[in-house]
Amino acid sequence: LWFWSTPPLSRFELLPLDNRLLLVTRPSEKDKYWMLMVVFMVVMKAMMGMSFKQVLRVLLSGIGCGLIHHAPLFFFGMRGYSSPKALIVTLCTEWPAIMMGLFVITKFLCGFGSPVS
């Protein structure tokens, strides 16, 4: 709740909230996320024997986590998102790669017989 309410409330001068704008630029790592997604997808299909539907579930969970994290930043004009296209590219690369990597690493560390999938 605090995460969603702070940006719009910070625009009111009466509240003791910091309403300054911080502009930060950093290089985009989208190409690395795409490569990691392909590597993890190959591992999930070839080494783990997962079906397309199972891989898709992990991928969609990453997109869902990306929505939870990035949508508030986009809708409140934070993090420098200037277009819906930038948001879509971020949602389809960053968090899906993180979730797929987390799934693969957890499966390898816990063993293939564990009920992670």
Side-chain angles (χ1 to χ4, degrees), residues 82-99:
S82 57
S83 70
K85 180 182 174 187
L87 176 65
I88 297 296
V89 170
T90 300
L91 290 177
C92 293
T93 57
E94 185 178 328
W95 278 89
I98 291 169
M99 293 304 289

Side-chain angles (χ1 to χ4, degrees), residues 2-71:
W2 185 253
F3 184 74
W4 280 92
S5 62
T6 300
L9 291 177
S10 69
R11 294 183 181 108
F12 296 113
E13 297 294 329
L14 300 174
L15 297 175
L17 297 173
D18 187 359
N19 62 356
R20 293 175 290 174
L21 178 63
L22 175 64
L23 296 176
V24 178
T25 59
R26 61 182 173 91
S28 177
E29 302 292 331
K30 305 294 185 265
D31 55 340
K32 291 183 180 85
Y33 291 131
W34 282 112
M35 289 186 289
L36 284 171
M37 283 174 52
V38 169
V39 167
F40 290 135
M41 197 172 298
V42 168
V43 169
M44 292 166 90
K45 289 289 291 172
M47 295 179 71
M48 298 177 152
M50 293 175 65
S51 68
F52 174 75
K53 197 181 251 186
Q54 291 171 320
V55 174
L56 185 64
R57 274 190 261 164
V58 177
L59 182 67
L60 291 176
S61 70
I63 292 173
C65 289
L67 276 171
I68 291 168
H69 176 72
H70 289 284

